[in-house]
Amino acid sequence: MPGNSFGNFFRITTWGESHGKALGVVIDGCPAGLSLTDKDIQFELDRRKPGQSILTSQRKEDDKVQILSGLFKNKTTGAPISMIVHNIDVISKSYEDFKDMYRPGHADLTYDEKYGLRDYRGGGRSSNRETVGRVAAGAVAKKILNKMGIKTYGYVCQIGNVKIEKIDFKYIEKNPLRCPDKNKSKEMSSIIDNVRREGDSIGGVIEVRTIGLPAGLGSPVFNKIDARLASSIMSIGGVRGFEIGMGFSISEKKGSEVNDIMIGKKKGKVVFSSNNAGGILGGITNGQDLILRFALKPTSSISKPQKSINKSGKVRNLKIKGRHDPCLCPRAVPIAEAMVNLVLIDAIFENKLSKIENLF
Ligand SMILES: Cc1cc2nc3c(=O)[nH]c(=O)nc-3n(C[C@H](O)[C@H](O)[C@H](O)COP(=O)(O)O)c2cc1C
């Protein structure tokens, strides 16, 4: 099963299953000399963990991280950094009843078709628990990026058909939904609570913004920064749409309405009159804020009775047990931030080779 690694210069490999003994990540390419402790990692894992509120899965995992290698006296040594998180609250019995059934909207069918067998307990490798490793690695990338003045913020901007009307960055982490609009947050949270009570689920949209980026990150042709970002976000389970800047709505406009006009230079940086491009031109950052959005589908594992087929193709009644997120959005925010930070750190390291003067 290849495809568990991401990045070229700051390369991560995640491992582990939802109901296995543990999950983790190995980072290859973190420079020596970075101050790093468990606390830096734990802060992000706590934002990702289940059981944070009634808006998320009720699985109770502390997700306590242990850094196994690559550190000496709280500084990175340049050696691979290996991190582990043990699975504690595993109830595999809930999955026994439908182990031969294919959950609609989940990866059960395709894993069986491809591998001929699958770890049905908690969805195995297709579970969102795999992202524990991504978030742990993303915390290391974030620490380096923050030192460079680069900061990434994610937030929920739509649940069902309710959209935010304003962005208060300070409010994002003050509500369990991670919505930046106080009024809309209440409305959105009650939508999630209602579908949860009905044994159903709901989708939504997340926006991610990065500020403080230099111009020049990303390379033509296949390593365009938007291509890398799309790949990183689309690799998160349940993502069904991705856009940069104005995204899909730009297709309804005229060039004269959407071209970001360059109006001068300030402190060596080009100033634009708008940011419809989302901070990227020709696959390379232009020094403006990076803005991307992605759509998440409603969680497929719902407790409402459904029909599906079993391995032999027979139609059966299906009642899914286990603890599931009624909406993927609140917990997907730190995961998306981690993926964006991993793409950016990789591009920054790659940029050290973009011109000869960067080497001296
Ligand atoms: C934060 C987050 C939490 C998730 N929680 C669940 C869950 O509780 N139950 C579930 O069936 N799927 C959950 N998923 C979605 C599955 O991982 C995903 O639907 C599955 O891997 C199939 O992949 P696909 O939807 O991209 O086709 C979650 C995804 C994310 C990003």
Side-chain angles (χ1 to χ4, degrees):
M1 190 191 279
N4 298 287
S5 302
F6 186 81
N8 297 312
F9 296 85
F10 186 98
R11 188 167 176 78
I12 68 158
T13 301
T14 72
W15 55 268
E17 292 83 24
S18 179
H19 287 202
K21 279 191 180 154
L23 304 127
V25 66
V26 177
I27 305 172
D28 192 9
C30 182
L34 176 74
S35 299
L36 191 71
T37 66
D38 291 3
K39 274 192 193 153
D40 296 311
I41 313 296
Q42 199 59 55
F43 177 78
E44 295 303 325
L45 288 178
D46 287 348
R47 294 176 67 222
R48 196 219 74 98
K49 71 182 179 187
Q52 292 176 56
S53 74
I54 51 160
L55 306 180
T56 66
S57 155
Q58 292 307 298
R59 183 166 167 175
K60 293 282 176 218
E61 292 287 356
D62 282 344
D63 285 348
K64 284 279 168 254
V65 69
Q66 239 186 310
I67 305 177
L68 300 178
S69 67
L71 278 192
F72 182 62
K73 295 189 174 171
N74 290 335
K75 285 225 155 107
T76 57
T77 61
I81 300 172
S82 187
M83 295 187 266
I84 187 169
V85 165
H86 287 274
N87 285 320
I88 309 291
D89 186 19
V90 172
I91 309 179
S92 301
K93 208 161 74 57
S94 316
Y95 289 81
E96 286 290 331
D97 291 350
F98 56 92
K99 66 180 169 41
D100 293 324
M101 295 283 291
Y102 295 134
R103 284 174 293 170
H106 217 291
D108 305 339
L109 167 72
T110 47
Y111 270 48
D112 255 5
E113 295 275 358
K114 184 173 176 74
Y115 301 106
L117 61 91
R118 81 192 141 90
D119 181 352
Y120 56 80
R121 304 163 309 156
R125 192 77 182 136
S126 71
S127 161
N128 172 59
R129 272 198 76 65
E130 175 273 327
T131 64
V132 158
R134 304 179 190 214
V135 170
V140 181
K142 178 177 175 174
K143 189 139 197 210
I144 302 171
L145 292 167
N146 284 357
K147 277 178 179 291
M148 304 169 98
I150 299 169
K151 294 206 165 131
T152 294
Y153 304 92
Y155 43 87
V156 173
C157 56
Q158 185 175 336
I159 295 293
N161 57 10
V162 178
K163 297 179 183 174
I164 55 167
E165 284 168 0
K166 62 172 190 183
I167 299 174
D168 174 0
F169 282 100
K170 288 199 202 92
Y171 188 65
I172 299 171
E173 291 299 321
K174 289 198 179 131
N175 68 108
L177 179 59
R178 299 204 166 90
C179 170
D181 181 334
K182 197 171 185 175
N183 292 333
K184 294 291 168 184
S185 152
K186 286 186 186 134
E187 197 178 337
M188 291 172 174
S189 301
S190 58
I191 293 177
I192 300 176
D193 195 27
N194 287 341
V195 294
R196 182 185 67 83
R197 286 167 200 271
E198 290 163 12
D200 217 326
S201 61
I202 187 92
V205 177
I206 288 174
E207 186 163 274
V208 181
R209 281 175 185 244
T210 302
I211 58 170
L213 275 181
L217 301 182
S219 310
V221 170
F222 297 114
N223 257 352
K224 286 179 173 168
I225 197 87
D226 32 3
R228 299 290 293 160
L229 288 164
S231 157
S232 75
I233 295 292
M234 291 300 299
S235 72
I236 300 170
V239 175
R240 284 299 178 269
F242 175 84
E243 45 180 40
I244 294 271
M246 273 189 84
F248 273 64
S249 64
I250 210 162
S251 59
E252 300 160 12
K253 301 285 183 192
K254 296 178 188 156
S256 57
E257 293 173 304
V258 296
N259 283 342
D260 299 316
I261 306 299
M262 287 162 262
I263 53 174
K265 267 192 164 183
K266 213 175 180 181
K267 291 182 185 163
K269 240 182 161 180
V270 174
V271 181
F272 294 81
S273 62
S274 54
N275 188 8
N276 296 321
I280 302 173
L281 293 169
I284 299 172
T285 56
N286 63 12
Q288 294 217 78
D289 291 352
L290 169 72
I291 304 171
L292 64 85
R293 273 175 304 284
F294 61 98
L296 280 156
K297 71 185 196 183
T299 319
S300 58
S301 300
I302 50 175
S303 59
K304 257 191 175 169
Q306 300 174 91
K307 291 237 186 265
S308 189
I309 59 163
N310 62 16
K311 275 187 184 176
S312 345
K314 299 264 184 297
V315 176
R316 296 278 180 263
N317 292 324
L318 174 68
K319 178 99 175 94
I320 297 173
K321 294 182 197 155
R323 295 150 299 172
H324 297 278
D325 292 282
C327 177
L328 310 181
C329 291
R331 296 179 60 217
V333 168
I335 300 165
E337 289 173 355
M339 292 315 292
V340 168
N341 283 333
L342 288 167
V343 169
L344 294 176
I345 199 76
D346 207 40
I348 285 168
F349 288 3
E350 183 191 77
N351 240 25
K352 292 279 171 205
L353 304 174
S354 71
K355 48 190 170 199
I356 204 78
E357 62 248 45
N358 286 0
L359 293 178
F360 302 100

